[in-house]
Amino acid sequence: MRMYTLVDQDTCIACGACADTAPDVFAYDEEGLSFVILDHNQGITEVPEEFQDDVEDAYDGCPTESIQLSEEPFKKLAKSG
């Protein structure tokens, strides 16, 4: 299954659950808010299969439902023209 993820930093409370559960995917920025390491929280890079179970666990465990999951990229890359 294709999986893309990003963190809604407007609702993130920096509790640490996601980075503890999926440290290869989530980290914290200078403000202490979670973000996706894979693509700087853009939601455009597919989560590698070996990390998908951890990302689903982080999604399920996020107390503010700030982690978003999708089978499609969240943003389309701009076409160069």
Side-chain angles (χ1 to χ4, degrees), residues 4 7 10-11 14 19 21 23 26 42 47-49 53 56 58 60 69 73 78 80:
Y4 298 85
V7 176
D10 291 333
T11 59
T21 304
F26 300 103
Q42 298 300 301
V47 175
E49 189 173 333
D53 286 343
E56 288 177 351
D60 290 339
L69 296 180
S80 51

Side-chain angles (χ1 to χ4, degrees), residues 7-78:
V7 176
D8 181 348
Q9 292 186 318
D10 291 333
T11 59
C12 177
I13 59 171
C15 70
C18 60
D20 288 344
T21 304
D24 294 304
V25 177
F26 300 103
Y28 296 96
D29 65 14
E30 62 279 348
E31 295 177 21
L33 300 176
S34 179
F35 73 98
V36 177
I37 300 166
L38 305 173
D39 58 14
H40 303 287
N41 209 47
Q42 298 300 301
I44 57 174
T45 300
E46 188 173 349
V47 175
E49 189 173 333
E50 65 265 25
F51 302 139
Q52 289 184 5
D53 286 343
D54 290 343
V55 170
E56 288 177 351
D57 289 344
Y59 172 83
D60 290 339
C62 181
T64 58
E65 300 180 357
S66 297
I67 298 171
Q68 299 177 21
L69 296 180
S70 176
E71 292 181 6
E72 298 293 327
F74 284 89
K75 298 177 183 178
K76 301 290 184 190
L77 293 174

